[in-house]
Amino acid sequence: MFFGALLAVGMACRDDGVASRYVAIEPIVLHENGQGFVGSESCKECHAELFASHRNTAHFKTSSRANLETVKGSFVNGKNTYHLNDSLGFRMQQDANGLYQQSFFRANDQNIARDTMGMVIGSGTKGQTYLRWQAEGLYQLQVSYNAAADQWTNSPGMSFNSLVDSRPVNSSCLECHVTFAKSTALYGMGNTFEKDKILFGVDCERCHGPSEAHVNFHRKNPKIETAHELVLYGELNQQQRLDACALCHSGLRTALKPAFLFLAGDSLAKFSTVSEKVLEEPVTLDVHGNQYGLLKASKCFQNSEAMNCTSCHDPHQNQRNNTLVFNQKCMQCHIGTTSTMHCAATEIQRQGRQNDCVACHMPLIDSKSMRITTEGDSIGAAVKVRTHLIKVYADGK
C-alpha cells in the first residue's frame, strides 16, 4: 500500500539533528485517551509536498473559521441579499470585526437581528452553510450558499415562513466536518465546545491519529526514517480502512459512544452502528452520505478481497473530475495484464460517453435528501451525486 511508503519517505526532518536540539511540540487538544492532537502544520516539517497537496482537497476545506477567503458567497451590494419570502430578507455584511447575517423586514427595511458568521461548513464545491457561536454553543445560520447558482439560499430543511435562530449543531454533526472538537456538553452529546480546541477540516490526524508522540519522536530522532507512533494505512486490514471513511460516509448512524472518540485503526462498530438491513437493500440508500453502503453492495467490492475507498481515492490529492485517474483505476482491475476488456456497450455508445467507465457504471443520481433552493423557489432541485453502487445501468441511469 503506497500510504505507508509515503509516510516513511522523508520522515527524518533534514537536519543534522541531534537529541540536544530537540524541542517538544505542545498539543493543541487532548483526545480522551490522553493522546495529543498537534495540527497539520506540524506535518509540514517532514511532509511538505503531502501537506501542500492535501490543502487543496475538499476534506481539508470542509470546515474553517469564517472570513472573506473561506466564505464563498458575495458581500458586494446587489449580490449580498437573500429574500426568504415576501416579508423577510437577509443581508450579508462585513466590517473590521467580522462577517454577519443581518435579517430585516422587507416592507420597511427594519433590521431584526444580526448574527456573526463564526464557522464555515462545506468546501464550497456544491455549497456551504455557516454557524454562529452563542457562548460555547454552535448554531446553524438560516442562510447558506448555493455554488451552482452562485447565490445565497435558505439552509437545507429550514422554514421559508419564519426566522430560525435556534438549530443546534451537535457533536455528531460536527464530527464529519472537523478533525476534532473538545465538547463541553454532558457526556459529549450536546452542541457546546471549547472554541480554541477545534481542529478544522478533515486533516492528517483524522486518518493517522493524534500525532504528538509521532512528531516528538522524530524531532528527537531525526535520522530514523521508519514511522513511529502513527496509524499507517498499510498496516490496517480492509475493514479498518473502510471504517475510517465509513464514520462519515455510511449515512445516519446510531451512536453507542460520544462523538470524537473513534480513531482510525479502531473498530467503528464499537462506537456507532448502521442497520445491516439497509446495507442489504442498496436501492433504499441515498447517494448523498452513504457511499460505504453502496460500495459494499457492488459486485466490484464483493468480488475483491481488499477493495476499500483508498483503492480509488487518494486522500492526499484533489482528484475531483479527474476522469482519467478514475478510469485507470477501473482498467487496473478489469484489464490487468491483458490488453483488452469486454464491454457490453456498443462502439457508438462508448464514443458518446468518451469511453468513460465511471459515467456509465457510477452515474450521477438525484439525492433523496439534499435539495438546493434559489430565491423564490421553496421546493428546489435535487442535487446530483455520483453513486458508489457500481453496476451496469440502463442508458446510464
Side-chain angles (χ1 to χ4, degrees):
M1 187 71 181
F2 72 92
F3 293 99
L6 285 173
L7 287 165
V9 173
M11 190 55 70
C13 300
R14 301 307 182 194
D15 189 304
D16 293 335
V18 293
S20 61
R21 297 181 182 179
Y22 163 60
V23 178
I25 193 169
E26 293 295 325
I28 298 170
V29 59
L30 296 178
H31 188 272
E32 291 299 315
N33 65 9
Q35 296 179 7
F37 289 93
V38 292
S40 62
E41 287 289 331
S42 65
C43 304
K44 185 169 61 173
E45 295 177 14
C46 299
H47 306 289
E49 290 187 7
L50 287 179
F51 172 82
S53 63
H54 180 65
R55 292 173 70 87
N56 294 317
T57 66
H59 276 132
F60 179 85
K61 298 176 180 179
T62 195
S63 66
S64 60
R65 290 186 176 87
N67 55 53
L68 287 176
E69 182 179 351
T70 58
V71 175
K72 300 303 181 184
S74 177
F75 291 83
V76 176
N77 287 337
K79 296 190 66 177
N80 66 334
T81 302
Y82 173 70
H83 295 145
L84 180 68
N85 53 41
D86 291 339
S87 303
L88 300 169
F90 296 87
R91 291 191 188 91
M92 308 307 135
Q93 300 176 327
Q94 61 168 310
D95 63 24
N97 296 315
L99 308 178
Y100 309 93
Q101 171 189 283
Q102 174 71 65
S103 55
F104 64 94
F105 290 114
R106 295 181 63 184
N108 55 10
D109 205 30
Q110 179 183 345
N111 289 336
I112 304 171
R114 193 187 200 203
D115 293 311
T116 303
M117 292 182 175
M119 189 184 301
V120 179
I121 298 294
S123 66
T125 301
K126 288 185 170 63
Q128 292 180 325
T129 197
Y130 309 98
L131 313 184
R132 67 176 176 87
W133 286 102
Q134 182 174 315
E136 292 184 333
L138 269 180
Y139 298 87
Q140 186 180 20
L141 293 177
Q142 186 149 2
V143 177
S144 291
Y145 171 71
N146 176 353
D150 188 23
Q151 63 182 231
W152 301 102
T153 183
N154 199 34
S155 292
M158 284 200 177
S159 171
F160 283 87
N161 299 316
S162 60
L163 297 179
V164 178
D165 63 357
S166 60
R167 179 187 278 181
V169 178
N170 59 34
S171 295
S172 59
C173 295
L174 197 62
E175 187 176 28
C176 289
H177 292 279
V178 303
T179 293
F180 188 80
K182 187 70 173 179
S183 173
T184 60
L186 183 64
Y187 306 119
M189 302 295 282
N191 72 315
T192 56
F193 308 89
E194 292 187 43
K195 289 183 181 181
D196 61 345
K197 303 294 184 183
I198 296 178
L199 295 177
F200 291 99
V202 174
D203 214 338
C204 309
E205 290 175 292
R206 167 53 72 85
C207 298
H208 296 292
S211 298
E212 177 190 12
H214 170 73
V215 173
N216 283 335
F217 177 90
H218 288 285
R219 282 186 176 184
K220 191 173 184 177
N221 303 277
K223 293 185 178 181
I224 296 179
E225 298 192 6
T226 303
H228 284 251
E229 308 291 342
L230 196 72
V231 174
L232 298 177
Y233 263 59
E235 298 177 358
L236 300 183
N237 61 40
Q238 182 192 31
Q239 190 57 52
Q240 288 173 323
R241 295 178 188 182
L242 288 165
D243 282 354
C245 302
L247 173 67
C248 299
H249 294 284
S250 58
L252 295 177
R253 302 183 66 90
T254 300
L256 302 177
K257 296 181 180 180
F260 295 109
L261 292 187
F262 171 78
L263 294 174
D266 208 335
S267 172
L268 184 57
K270 297 189 301 186
F271 298 85
S272 60
T273 61
V274 63
S275 170
E276 286 300 319
K277 184 175 185 298
V278 170
L279 291 179
E280 294 169 0
E281 299 174 359
V283 70
T284 68
L285 301 182
D286 190 12
V287 288
H288 171 64
N290 206 336
Q291 292 87 347
Y292 170 75
L294 293 164
L295 179 65
K296 286 194 70 174
S298 303
K299 288 185 178 180
C300 281
F301 178 87
Q302 295 169 357
N303 292 333
S304 170
E305 295 181 356
M307 187 176 186
N308 64 86
C309 305
T310 59
S311 298
C312 299
H313 296 280
D314 179 355
H316 301 119
Q317 304 286 337
N318 179 5
Q319 298 174 313
R320 185 174 293 277
N321 298 324
N322 193 334
T323 56
L324 178 61
V325 166
F326 291 115
N327 283 324
Q328 286 176 340
K329 297 291 184 180
C330 299
M331 298 294 185
Q332 286 173 8
C333 291
H334 291 279
I335 292 182
T337 58
T338 67
S339 60
T340 60
M341 178 180 68
H342 173 71
C343 180
T346 66
E347 181 66 25
I348 294 176
Q349 288 173 325
R350 290 199 299 273
Q351 290 180 358
R353 296 180 182 130
Q354 300 179 323
N355 289 313
D356 187 349
C357 309
V358 174
C360 286
H361 300 290
M362 300 176 65
L364 292 167
I365 293 178
D366 287 350
S367 169
K368 304 182 186 75
S369 62
M370 189 164 62
R371 305 187 73 83
I372 295 295
T373 60
T374 54
E375 189 169 309
D377 174 18
S378 61
I379 298 175
V383 174
K384 289 186 177 295
V385 180
R386 193 165 300 285
T387 183
H388 280 63
L389 180 59
I390 309 167
K391 68 174 188 176
V392 176
Y393 288 83
D395 297 324
K397 297 180 180 179

